Amino acid sequence: MEASDLEAVEKLHQAYERLLKEVNHVVIGQHKVVEELMISLLAGGHCLLVGVPGLAKTLIVHTLADTLNLSFNRVQFTPDLMPADITGTDVIQEDKITGNRDFKFLAGPVFANVVLADEINRTPPKTQAALLEAMQEHQVTAGGRKHKLPVPFFVLATQNPIEQEGTYPLPEAQLDRFMFEIKVEYPTEEEEFAIVRQTTSDESYAVKKVLELDELLSFQSLVRRVPVADHVIRYAMQFARMTRIIATDDARATDIPDFIREYVSWGAGPRASQNLVLGAKARAILHGRLYVSTDDVRAVAHPVLRHRIITNFNAEADGMSPDKIVDRLIELIPVDSSQEKLDGRLPQVFRSADAR
């Protein structure tokens, strides 16, 4: 990395500290959620936030957009929502001077830097799919014409996990477009006390902008330039490859752990490996480090993999969630060469890129 990159890493770390202070004025607790959202934004990924109502999911997203000086739109997903309600549509407009009529595209709420898709599973698959092109291609097609979305562009969707009646689960193809699935947990007793005291008073706080849009874009480019050692890439790959119950040409069936065979119907694809490495890079520079370690990979393993591991009936019967499967993979995969030599597990993890 160049000297300018080293300065940029330090600048980002300082900005992140200021951002946490600004967010903490409005949102009590949820530090892990804020960190994972920032990692995803730096890596250019989308997020799915899962949590019961009242945990400040919308407030977190809106506050984060304000501190980063990003445009923000919220879409409340309902059963009667149509694709054009999100993406926009062509309407006929008449020129009052010439009397000529022509089609004009009216942009929908998806044309913003941060789009909050609130309760995305409340709307049918036809409307859910309206976001697919936007999330993957950063554009919208309407009336045969393509319309570019603002840069940067993030979809942050929310889901309520406790009420499934009248909902439409997201298809796996769309779930895979989300870099992270972030769990929003209940606050601790002290955090809830602070929340109640703050929200029942007449106090208010206007958050200050910490970063400008062009700075965020430069930090996204910086993430891509962070070097990663071969063994860290191979370490990240094992998390995805070991969830696949179908052995490939270069992976013996005996390499698949027994608990994966017992509990997993479908594993994570290559996009999981990519997101593990990108997330680890973003986490490293967010904390002011110029290198990526296996600790960074483990830190992002749960949000990257929990929505990409499809469990079966045996897992449900035994209470084996995707998070618990990731926990067992963390215990199984060696983190350094000393562990590898000790028990002989996965010798391919620490070989170089040129090794055969």
Side-chain angles (χ1 to χ4, degrees):
M1 299 181 71
E2 300 178 357
S4 58
D5 289 338
L6 305 183
E7 294 174 0
V9 169
E10 181 60 28
K11 181 179 179 181
L12 173 60
H13 177 60
Q14 294 175 358
Y16 178 57
E17 295 295 330
R18 296 198 309 273
L19 181 142
L20 288 178
K21 291 180 180 179
E22 288 298 314
V23 173
N24 287 341
H25 284 297
V26 180
V27 180
I28 307 298
Q30 303 296 358
H31 304 299
K32 186 177 180 181
V33 174
V34 174
E35 179 183 81
E36 290 176 348
L37 280 171
M38 273 301 299
I39 291 172
S40 179
L41 296 183
L42 287 173
H46 310 288
C47 284
L48 181 65
L49 291 88
V50 179
V52 299
L55 297 184
K57 297 186 294 294
T58 301
L59 180 62
I60 293 171
V61 173
H62 200 170
T63 303
L64 198 59
D66 287 342
T67 58
L68 297 176
N69 199 21
L70 301 175
S71 60
F72 172 83
N73 279 335
R74 174 184 176 181
V75 182
Q76 185 67 46
F77 278 64
T78 57
D80 60 345
L81 195 71
M82 298 299 291
D85 296 330
I86 303 171
T87 60
T89 187
D90 286 318
V91 297
I92 297 179
Q93 275 197 343
E94 181 178 349
D95 190 316
K96 295 182 179 180
I97 299 176
T98 64
N100 295 330
R101 293 184 177 184
D102 198 5
F103 282 103
K104 181 180 180 180
F105 179 71
L106 292 183
V110 75
F111 286 83
N113 296 127
V114 177
V115 177
L116 176 61
D118 220 349
E119 294 191 288
I120 190 173
N121 56 333
R122 294 283 174 199
T123 198
K126 179 180 181 180
T127 305
Q128 292 174 0
L131 285 175
L132 276 175
E133 182 186 13
M135 293 171 65
Q136 188 66 29
E137 308 296 336
H138 289 197
Q139 67 180 24
V140 166
T141 302
R145 290 183 294 178
K146 297 178 180 179
H147 305 272
K148 290 293 183 181
L149 293 170
V151 178
F153 173 72
F154 308 105
V155 172
L156 305 179
T158 68
Q159 276 192 172
N160 178 357
I162 61 174
E163 186 181 355
Q164 299 302 322
E165 184 177 353
T167 62
Y168 305 84
L170 289 173
E172 282 72 18
Q174 186 162 6
L175 278 174
D176 199 38
R177 261 60 176 195
F178 288 100
M179 179 179 182
F180 283 173
E181 179 184 308
I182 299 175
K183 278 191 173 181
V184 186
E185 306 284 359
Y186 282 113
T188 64
E189 182 177 354
E190 289 303 315
E191 289 172 348
E192 189 164 353
F193 175 82
I195 290 170
V196 174
R197 182 169 61 180
Q198 177 173 303
T199 56
T200 56
S201 69
D202 61 351
E203 295 180 4
S204 61
Y205 182 82
V207 295
K208 301 174 184 176
K209 295 178 175 58
V210 175
L211 289 176
E212 296 297 332
L213 189 144
D214 58 341
E215 291 179 309
L216 179 59
L217 292 176
S218 68
F219 288 139
Q220 286 184 330
S221 177
L222 176 63
V223 168
R224 296 278 178 169
R225 298 197 300 273
V226 173
V228 185
D230 291 341
H231 77 273
V232 176
I233 295 177
R234 293 191 184 280
Y235 178 76
M237 287 170 51
Q238 293 306 314
F239 281 93
R241 295 183 66 81
M242 291 183 70
T243 63
R244 303 169 192 166
I245 59 175
I246 301 175
T248 57
D249 293 340
D250 61 343
R252 301 185 308 274
T254 54
D255 291 337
I256 303 171
D258 292 338
F259 65 89
I260 296 294
R261 295 178 180 280
E262 183 178 1
Y263 296 126
V264 175
S265 295
W266 202 257
R271 192 177 276 122
S273 300
Q274 295 170 335
N275 288 332
L276 282 167
V277 173
L278 277 175
K281 284 184 172 188
R283 183 179 185 271
I285 66 171
L286 200 62
H287 289 272
R289 287 185 284 104
L290 310 179
Y291 62 91
V292 180
S293 70
T294 53
D295 289 337
D296 295 312
V297 176
R298 288 196 298 276
V300 300
H302 288 89
V304 167
L305 293 171
R306 63 168 55 110
H307 58 299
R308 292 183 166 94
I309 297 176
I310 310 301
T311 54
N312 55 26
F313 176 78
N314 292 334
E316 184 176 354
D318 293 346
M320 182 61 68
S321 66
D323 278 342
K324 291 181 179 179
I325 290 174
V326 176
D327 287 335
R328 296 186 66 172
L329 287 175
I330 290 175
E331 295 176 359
L332 177 66
I333 302 173
V335 298
D336 55 40
S337 57
S338 62
Q339 286 191 5
E340 178 182 78
K341 292 176 182 177
L342 182 65
D343 54 23
R345 295 175 300 180
L346 304 175
Q348 69 273 27
V349 174
F350 293 99
R351 63 184 173 90
S352 67
D354 298 328
R356 293 290 186 265

Coordinates of all heavy atoms in Angstrom, one line a residue, residues 7-71:
E7 N -2.4 6.8 5.2 CA -3.0 8.0 5.8 C -4.5 7.9 5.7 O -5.2 8.3 6.6 CB -2.5 9.2 5.0 CG -1.1 9.6 5.2 CD -0.6 10.7 4.4 OE1 -1.5 11.3 3.7 OE2 0.6 11.1 4.4
A8 N -5.0 7.3 4.6 CA -6.5 7.1 4.4 C -7.0 6.2 5.5 O -8.1 6.4 6.0 CB -6.8 6.7 3.0
V9 N -6.3 5.1 5.8 CA -6.7 4.1 6.8 C -6.8 4.8 8.1 O -7.8 4.6 8.8 CB -5.7 2.9 6.8 CG1 -6.0 2.0 8.0 CG2 -5.8 2.1 5.5
E10 N -5.9 5.6 8.5 CA -5.9 6.3 9.8 C -7.0 7.3 9.8 O -7.7 7.4 10.8 CB -4.6 7.0 10.0 CG -4.5 7.8 11.3 CD -4.7 6.9 12.5 OE1 -4.4 5.7 12.5 OE2 -5.2 7.4 13.6
K11 N -7.3 8.0 8.7 CA -8.4 8.9 8.6 C -9.7 8.2 8.8 O -10.6 8.7 9.5 CB -8.3 9.7 7.3 CG -9.4 10.7 7.1 CD -9.3 11.4 5.7 CE -10.4 12.4 5.6 NZ -10.3 13.1 4.2
L12 N -9.9 7.1 8.1 CA -11.1 6.3 8.3 C -11.3 5.9 9.7 O -12.4 5.9 10.2 CB -11.1 5.1 7.3 CG -12.3 4.1 7.4 CD1 -13.6 4.9 7.2 CD2 -12.1 3.0 6.5
H13 N -10.3 5.4 10.3 CA -10.4 4.9 11.7 C -10.9 6.0 12.6 O -11.7 5.8 13.5 CB -9.1 4.3 12.2 CG -9.1 3.9 13.6 ND1 -9.9 2.9 14.1 CD2 -8.4 4.3 14.7 CE1 -9.7 2.7 15.4 NE2 -8.8 3.6 15.8
Q14 N -10.3 7.2 12.5 CA -10.7 8.4 13.3 C -12.1 8.8 13.0 O -12.9 9.1 13.9 CB -9.7 9.5 13.0 CG -8.3 9.3 13.5 CD -7.4 10.4 13.1 OE1 -7.8 11.4 12.5 NE2 -6.1 10.3 13.5
A15 N -12.5 8.7 11.7 CA -13.9 9.1 11.3 C -14.9 8.1 11.9 O -16.0 8.4 12.3 CB -14.0 9.1 9.8
Y16 N -14.5 6.8 11.9 CA -15.4 5.8 12.5 C -15.6 6.0 14.0 O -16.7 5.8 14.5 CB -14.7 4.4 12.3 CG -15.5 3.2 12.9 CD1 -16.9 3.0 12.5 CD2 -14.9 2.4 13.8 CE1 -17.6 2.0 13.1 CE2 -15.7 1.3 14.3 CZ -17.0 1.1 14.0 OH -17.7 0.1 14.5
E17 N -14.6 6.4 14.7 CA -14.7 6.8 16.1 C -15.7 7.9 16.3 O -16.5 7.9 17.2 CB -13.3 7.1 16.7 CG -12.3 6.0 16.8 CD -12.8 4.8 17.6 OE1 -13.5 5.1 18.7 OE2 -12.4 3.7 17.4
R18 N -15.6 8.9 15.5 CA -16.5 10.1 15.5 C -17.9 9.6 15.2 O -18.9 10.1 15.8 CB -16.0 11.2 14.6 CG -14.7 11.8 15.0 CD -14.5 13.2 14.3 NE -14.8 13.2 12.9 CZ -13.9 12.9 12.0 NH1 -12.6 12.6 12.3 NH2 -14.2 12.9 10.7
L19 N -18.0 8.8 14.2 CA -19.4 8.3 13.8 C -20.0 7.5 14.9 O -21.3 7.7 15.1 CB -19.2 7.4 12.5 CG -20.5 6.8 12.0 CD1 -20.4 6.8 10.4 CD2 -20.8 5.4 12.5
L20 N -19.3 6.7 15.6 CA -19.9 6.0 16.7 C -20.4 6.9 17.8 O -21.5 6.7 18.4 CB -18.9 5.0 17.3 CG -18.5 3.8 16.5 CD1 -17.4 2.9 17.2 CD2 -19.7 2.9 16.2
K21 N -19.7 8.0 18.1 CA -20.1 8.9 19.1 C -21.4 9.6 18.6 O -22.3 9.9 19.4 CB -19.0 10.0 19.3 CG -17.8 9.4 20.0 CD -16.7 10.5 20.3 CE -15.5 9.9 21.0 NZ -14.4 11.0 21.2
E22 N -21.5 10.0 17.3 CA -22.7 10.7 16.8 C -23.9 9.7 16.9 O -25.0 10.1 17.3 CB -22.4 11.1 15.4 CG -21.5 12.3 15.2 CD -22.0 13.5 16.0 OE1 -23.2 13.9 15.8 OE2 -21.3 14.2 16.7
V23 N -23.7 8.5 16.5 CA -24.8 7.5 16.5 C -25.3 7.2 17.9 O -26.5 7.1 18.2 CB -24.4 6.2 15.8 CG1 -25.5 5.1 15.9 CG2 -24.1 6.5 14.3
N24 N -24.3 7.2 18.8 CA -24.7 6.9 20.2 C -25.5 8.0 20.9 O -26.2 7.7 21.9 CB -23.4 6.7 21.1 CG -22.7 5.4 20.7 OD1 -23.3 4.5 20.2 ND2 -21.4 5.2 21.1
H25 N -25.5 9.2 20.3 CA -26.4 10.3 20.8 C -27.8 10.0 20.5 O -28.7 10.5 21.2 CB -26.0 11.6 20.2 CG -24.7 12.2 20.7 ND1 -24.6 12.6 22.1 CD2 -23.6 12.5 20.2 CE1 -23.4 13.1 22.3 NE2 -22.8 13.1 21.1
V26 N -28.1 9.1 19.5 CA -29.4 8.9 19.0 C -29.8 7.4 19.3 O -31.0 7.1 19.8 CB -29.6 9.2 17.5 CG1 -31.0 8.9 17.1 CG2 -29.2 10.6 17.2
V27 N -28.9 6.5 19.1 CA -29.2 5.1 19.2 C -28.4 4.5 20.4 O -27.2 4.6 20.4 CB -28.8 4.3 17.9 CG1 -29.1 2.8 18.1 CG2 -29.6 4.8 16.7
I28 N -29.1 4.0 21.4 CA -28.5 3.4 22.6 C -28.1 1.9 22.3 O -29.0 1.1 21.9 CB -29.4 3.5 23.8 CG1 -29.9 4.9 24.0 CG2 -28.6 3.0 25.0 CD1 -28.8 5.9 24.3
G29 N -26.8 1.6 22.5 CA -26.4 0.2 22.3 C -26.3 -0.1 20.8 O -26.0 0.8 19.9
Q30 N -26.5 -1.4 20.4 CA -26.5 -1.9 19.1 C -25.1 -1.6 18.4 O -25.1 -1.3 17.2 CB -27.6 -1.3 18.2 CG -29.0 -1.6 18.8 CD -29.4 -3.1 18.9 OE1 -28.6 -3.9 18.4 NE2 -30.6 -3.4 19.4
H31 N -24.0 -1.6 19.1 CA -22.7 -1.3 18.6 C -22.3 -2.3 17.5 O -21.7 -1.9 16.5 CB -21.7 -1.3 19.7 CG -22.0 -0.3 20.8 ND1 -22.1 1.0 20.6 CD2 -22.2 -0.5 22.1 CE1 -22.4 1.6 21.7 NE2 -22.4 0.7 22.7
K32 N -22.6 -3.6 17.7 CA -22.3 -4.6 16.7 C -23.0 -4.4 15.4 O -22.5 -4.6 14.3 CB -22.5 -6.0 17.3 CG -22.1 -7.1 16.4 CD -22.3 -8.5 17.1 CE -21.8 -9.6 16.1 NZ -22.0 -10.9 16.8
V33 N -24.3 -4.0 15.5 CA -25.1 -3.8 14.3 C -24.5 -2.6 13.5 O -24.4 -2.7 12.3 CB -26.6 -3.5 14.7 CG1 -27.4 -3.0 13.5 CG2 -27.2 -4.7 15.4
V34 N -24.2 -1.5 14.2 CA -23.6 -0.4 13.6 C -22.3 -0.7 12.9 O -22.0 -0.3 11.7 CB -23.4 0.8 14.5 CG1 -22.6 1.9 13.9 CG2 -24.7 1.3 15.1
E35 N -21.4 -1.5 13.6 CA -20.2 -1.9 13.0 C -20.4 -2.8 11.7 O -19.7 -2.5 10.7 CB -19.3 -2.7 14.0 CG -18.0 -3.2 13.4 CD -17.2 -4.0 14.3 OE1 -17.4 -5.2 14.5 OE2 -16.2 -3.4 14.9
E36 N -21.3 -3.7 11.8 CA -21.5 -4.6 10.6 C -22.1 -3.8 9.5 O -21.8 -4.1 8.3 CB -22.4 -5.8 11.0 CG -21.7 -6.8 11.9 CD -22.6 -7.9 12.4 OE1 -23.9 -7.8 12.3 OE2 -22.1 -8.8 13.0
L37 N -23.0 -2.8 9.8 CA -23.5 -2.0 8.7 C -22.4 -1.2 8.0 O -22.4 -1.0 6.8 CB -24.6 -1.0 9.3 CG -26.0 -1.6 9.5 CD1 -26.8 -0.6 10.3 CD2 -26.6 -2.0 8.2
M38 N -21.5 -0.6 8.8 CA -20.4 0.2 8.3 C -19.5 -0.7 7.4 O -19.0 -0.3 6.4 CB -19.6 0.8 9.4 CG -20.1 2.2 9.8 SD -20.2 3.4 8.5 CE -18.4 3.5 8.0
I39 N -19.2 -1.9 7.9 CA -18.4 -2.9 7.1 C -19.0 -3.1 5.8 O -18.4 -3.1 4.7 CB -18.2 -4.2 7.9 CG1 -17.3 -4.0 9.1 CG2 -17.6 -5.3 7.0 CD1 -17.2 -5.2 10.0
S40 N -20.3 -3.4 5.8 CA -21.1 -3.6 4.5 C -21.0 -2.4 3.6 O -20.8 -2.6 2.4 CB -22.5 -4.0 4.8 OG -23.2 -4.3 3.7
L41 N -21.2 -1.2 4.1 CA -21.2 0.0 3.3 C -19.8 0.2 2.7 O -19.7 0.6 1.5 CB -21.6 1.2 4.1 CG -23.0 1.2 4.7 CD1 -23.3 2.5 5.4 CD2 -24.1 1.0 3.6
L42 N -18.8 0.0 3.5 CA -17.4 0.1 2.9 C -17.1 -0.9 1.8 O -16.4 -0.6 0.9 CB -16.4 0.0 4.1 CG -16.3 1.2 5.0 CD1 -15.4 0.9 6.2 CD2 -15.8 2.5 4.3
A43 N -17.7 -2.1 2.0 CA -17.5 -3.1 1.0 C -18.4 -3.0 -0.2 O -18.3 -3.8 -1.1 CB -17.6 -4.5 1.7
G44 N -19.4 -2.1 -0.1 CA -20.3 -1.9 -1.2 C -21.4 -2.9 -1.3 O -22.0 -3.2 -2.3
G45 N -21.7 -3.5 -0.1 CA -22.7 -4.6 -0.1 C -24.1 -4.1 0.5 O -24.2 -3.0 1.1
H46 N -25.1 -4.9 0.3 CA -26.4 -4.7 0.9 C -26.6 -5.5 2.1 O -25.9 -6.5 2.3 CB -27.5 -5.0 -0.2 CG -27.3 -4.4 -1.5 ND1 -27.4 -3.1 -1.8 CD2 -26.9 -5.0 -2.7 CE1 -27.1 -2.9 -3.0 NE2 -26.8 -4.0 -3.6
C47 N -27.6 -5.1 3.0 CA -27.8 -5.8 4.3 C -29.2 -6.1 4.5 O -30.1 -5.4 4.0 CB -27.3 -4.9 5.4 SG -25.5 -4.8 5.6
L48 N -29.5 -7.2 5.2 CA -30.8 -7.6 5.6 C -30.8 -7.6 7.1 O -30.0 -8.4 7.7 CB -31.1 -9.0 5.1 CG -32.5 -9.6 5.4 CD1 -33.6 -8.8 4.8 CD2 -32.6 -11.1 5.0
L49 N -31.6 -6.8 7.7 CA -31.6 -6.7 9.2 C -32.9 -7.4 9.7 O -34.0 -7.2 9.3 CB -31.7 -5.2 9.6 CG -30.5 -4.3 9.4 CD1 -30.5 -3.7 8.0 CD2 -30.4 -3.3 10.5
V50 N -32.6 -8.4 10.6 CA -33.7 -9.2 11.1 C -33.8 -9.0 12.6 O -32.8 -9.1 13.4 CB -33.4 -10.7 10.9 CG1 -34.5 -11.6 11.5 CG2 -33.2 -11.0 9.4
G51 N -35.0 -8.6 13.0 CA -35.3 -8.3 14.5 C -36.7 -8.0 14.7 O -37.4 -7.6 13.8
V52 N -37.2 -8.2 15.9 CA -38.6 -7.9 16.2 C -38.8 -6.4 16.2 O -37.9 -5.6 16.2 CB -38.9 -8.5 17.6 CG1 -38.7 -10.0 17.7 CG2 -38.1 -7.8 18.7
P53 N -40.1 -6.0 16.1 CA -40.4 -4.6 16.1 C -39.9 -3.8 17.3 O -39.8 -4.4 18.4 CB -41.9 -4.5 16.0 CG -42.3 -5.9 15.4 CD -41.3 -6.8 16.0
G54 N -39.5 -2.6 17.2 CA -39.2 -1.7 18.3 C -37.7 -1.7 18.7 O -37.4 -1.2 19.7
L55 N -36.9 -2.3 17.9 CA -35.4 -2.4 18.2 C -34.6 -1.3 17.5 O -33.4 -1.4 17.4 CB -34.9 -3.8 17.9 CG -35.5 -4.9 18.7 CD1 -34.8 -6.2 18.4 CD2 -35.4 -4.6 20.2
A56 N -35.3 -0.3 16.9 CA -34.6 0.9 16.3 C -33.9 0.5 15.0 O -32.9 1.2 14.7 CB -33.6 1.5 17.3
K57 N -34.4 -0.5 14.3 CA -33.7 -0.8 13.0 C -33.8 0.4 12.0 O -32.8 0.8 11.4 CB -34.4 -2.0 12.4 CG -34.3 -3.3 13.2 CD -34.8 -4.5 12.5 CE -36.3 -4.5 12.3 NZ -37.1 -4.5 13.6
T58 N -35.0 1.0 11.9 CA -35.2 2.1 11.0 C -34.3 3.3 11.4 O -33.7 4.0 10.7 CB -36.6 2.5 10.9 OG1 -37.4 1.4 10.4 CG2 -36.8 3.7 9.9
L59 N -34.3 3.5 12.7 CA -33.6 4.7 13.3 C -32.1 4.5 13.1 O -31.4 5.5 12.8 CB -33.9 4.8 14.8 CG -33.2 5.9 15.5 CD1 -33.7 7.3 15.0 CD2 -33.5 5.9 17.0
I60 N -31.6 3.3 13.2 CA -30.2 3.1 13.0 C -29.8 3.4 11.6 O -28.8 4.1 11.3 CB -29.8 1.6 13.3 CG1 -29.9 1.3 14.8 CG2 -28.4 1.3 12.9 CD1 -29.8 -0.1 15.2
V61 N -30.6 2.9 10.6 CA -30.3 3.1 9.2 C -30.3 4.6 8.8 O -29.5 5.1 8.2 CB -31.2 2.3 8.3 CG1 -31.0 2.6 6.9 CG2 -31.0 0.8 8.6
H62 N -31.4 5.3 9.3 CA -31.6 6.7 9.0 C -30.5 7.5 9.6 O -29.9 8.4 9.0 CB -32.9 7.2 9.5 CG -33.4 8.4 8.8 ND1 -34.7 8.9 9.0 CD2 -32.8 9.3 8.0 CE1 -34.8 10.0 8.3 NE2 -33.6 10.3 7.7
T63 N -30.1 7.2 10.8 CA -29.0 8.0 11.5 C -27.7 7.8 10.8 O -26.9 8.7 10.6 CB -28.9 7.5 13.0 OG1 -30.2 7.7 13.6 CG2 -27.9 8.3 13.7
L64 N -27.4 6.5 10.4 CA -26.2 6.2 9.7 C -26.1 7.0 8.4 O -25.1 7.5 8.0 CB -26.1 4.7 9.5 CG -24.7 4.2 9.2 CD1 -23.7 4.5 10.3 CD2 -24.7 2.7 8.9
A65 N -27.2 7.0 7.7 CA -27.3 7.8 6.4 C -27.0 9.3 6.6 O -26.3 9.9 5.8 CB -28.6 7.6 5.7
D66 N -27.5 9.8 7.7 CA -27.3 11.2 8.0 C -25.9 11.5 8.3 O -25.3 12.5 7.9 CB -28.2 11.7 9.2 CG -29.7 11.8 8.8 OD1 -30.0 11.8 7.6 OD2 -30.6 11.7 9.7
T67 N -25.2 10.7 9.1 CA -23.8 10.9 9.5 C -22.9 10.8 8.3 O -21.8 11.4 8.3 CB -23.4 9.9 10.6 OG1 -23.6 8.6 10.2 CG2 -24.2 10.2 11.9
L68 N -23.3 10.0 7.3 CA -22.5 9.8 6.1 C -22.9 10.8 5.0 O -22.4 10.7 3.9 CB -22.6 8.4 5.6 CG -22.0 7.3 6.6 CD1 -22.3 5.9 6.1 CD2 -20.6 7.5 6.9
N69 N -23.9 11.6 5.3 CA -24.3 12.6 4.3 C -24.8 11.9 3.0 O -24.5 12.4 1.9 CB -23.2 13.6 3.9 CG -23.7 14.9 3.3 OD1 -24.9 15.2 3.4 ND2 -22.9 15.6 2.5
L70 N -25.6 10.9 3.2 CA -26.2 10.1 2.0 C -27.7 10.4 1.9 O -28.4 10.5 3.0 CB -26.0 8.6 2.2 CG -24.5 8.2 2.3 CD1 -24.4 6.7 2.6 CD2 -23.7 8.5 1.0
S71 N -28.2 10.4 0.7 CA -29.7 10.6 0.5 C -30.3 9.3 1.0 O -29.8 8.2 0.9 CB -30.0 10.9 -0.9 OG -29.5 9.8 -1.8

